[in-house]
Amino acid sequence: PLFSTPALAEGPGPGTLNASYTIAFWAIPFGHTVYQGKFADGGYSASSHFETSGIVSVFWNSIIDATVSGRISAHSVQPAVYDSYARRSARKVQEVKVTFGGMVPETFAKPAYNTTKYPVSDEQKKDAVDPMSAIATILSGVTATDANPCGSGVHVFDGRRRYDVQFTYVKDEAAKLDNGLFSGTAHLCQIHYKQIAGYKQKILKEGQALPPMFAWFVDVPAKGAPNGHYVIALKLWSTLAYGTVTATLDNLKVNSASAFKS
């Protein structure tokens, strides 16, 4: 990648989080994603890697790496630099860098986006965070409350589109992962995606609404976490016309130790 994100300065007692998910359709895995984050001295840095696998790779081969750094507190996340490097093939590479800190985030993309076709106004970009910082917002419980333990959601700008991800708490219920990683009580929440401006998502045909999406979240106590615990998604799922798509937690380490004890 052409872009690089400054590493978070080392400090006493940092909190680290490593999580990975298996993504499947009709229970058949087709992708895997890994998240690595560090929280220390009021700052955060993180990296993620997503890659398709199996027969899906024959039709849709995608590898996406992203990094971010910024500042974080118990009630706010302030990104500094977000980098994304996506590869569909040797010839189809997209690099994006979004720099925060001024009144409006600045985007540099290679190849450049046609921002006049699907514009995002400066006003719409204000108070939005990048996708990786959105994950940090959810994980740290910045917007979580007793009434909504999953958090209220985030405003996101990824360099070419502006959207909201919101959560509605449904209830607490028994949750068990088929891979044996977790069995206990989780917060069931519905996820709402709202397109604001910019390029449209390509999951469905233009004009069609996304199907209902749900997730199980659990609070995981952790030293070094901005709020003393992380809000971890155990499983996310959405039922389409042709089957159910899932993202299931398959590994979780907090401060280098397994988070769930058997």
Side-chain angles (χ1 to χ4, degrees):
L2 295 179
F3 310 133
S4 62
T5 301
L8 185 66
E10 292 292 340
T16 60
L17 179 67
N18 295 270
S20 63
Y21 292 82
T22 298
I23 304 169
F25 180 65
W26 271 358
I28 301 174
F30 71 84
H32 194 253
T33 186
V34 177
Y35 173 91
Q36 296 179 314
K38 178 185 284 187
F39 302 84
D41 300 328
Y44 70 98
S45 65
S47 64
S48 69
H49 176 81
F50 167 80
E51 186 168 353
T52 55
S53 61
I55 193 171
V56 169
S57 295
V58 176
F59 307 99
W60 176 46
N61 184 23
S62 183
I63 300 174
I64 304 173
D65 290 291
T67 61
V68 72
S69 63
R71 307 299 300 172
I72 191 168
S73 69
H75 302 293
S76 68
V77 171
Q78 298 175 323
V81 181
Y82 163 77
D83 288 335
S84 175
Y85 186 76
R87 304 180 293 287
R88 292 288 302 274
S89 67
R91 295 184 178 182
K92 294 183 179 180
V93 176
Q94 180 69 64
E95 299 184 62
V96 181
K97 180 176 184 178
V98 183
T99 304
F100 297 81
M103 292 295 294
V104 178
E106 296 182 0
T107 303
F108 178 81
K110 181 183 178 182
Y113 294 136
N114 180 356
T115 56
T116 59
K117 185 177 182 180
Y118 301 107
V120 181
S121 69
D122 288 349
E123 189 63 31
Q124 289 168 330
K125 296 176 186 177
K126 290 180 180 178
D127 300 323
V129 300
D130 61 272
M132 290 289 287
S133 295
I135 294 173
T137 300
I138 297 166
L139 287 173
S140 61
V142 165
T143 64
T145 63
D146 291 340
N148 192 347
C150 304
S152 58
V154 285
H155 307 309
V156 185
F157 174 64
D158 65 4
R160 64 174 178 169
R161 63 172 60 88
R162 171 67 180 83
Y163 56 92
D164 289 345
V165 177
Q166 300 171 324
F167 301 99
T168 299
Y169 171 64
V170 179
K171 62 180 179 178
D172 278 10
E173 66 178 17
K176 183 178 181 179
L177 299 183
D178 292 339
N179 58 22
L181 186 64
F182 179 88
S183 180
T185 301
H187 311 305
L188 173 65
C189 290
Q190 185 170 0
I191 305 170
H192 311 274
Y193 175 95
K194 182 179 181 182
Q195 176 79 26
I196 302 299
Y199 284 71
K200 308 298 182 182
Q201 56 79 20
K202 297 181 179 180
I203 299 175
L204 300 174
K205 292 181 179 179
E206 187 71 24
Q208 288 187 343
L210 287 170
M213 297 177 284
F214 296 90
W216 281 331
F217 287 93
V218 292
D219 299 329
V220 178
K223 181 179 180 181
N227 283 291
H229 70 276
Y230 296 114
V231 181
I232 303 295
L234 294 173
K235 183 177 181 179
L236 303 93
W237 68 92
S238 182
T239 301
L240 309 175
Y242 303 103
T244 300
V245 178
T246 61
T248 305
L249 185 71
D250 58 41
N251 184 54
L252 179 65
K253 288 187 176 181
V254 175
N255 299 333
S256 301
S258 297
F260 303 128
K261 305 296 183 181
S262 58

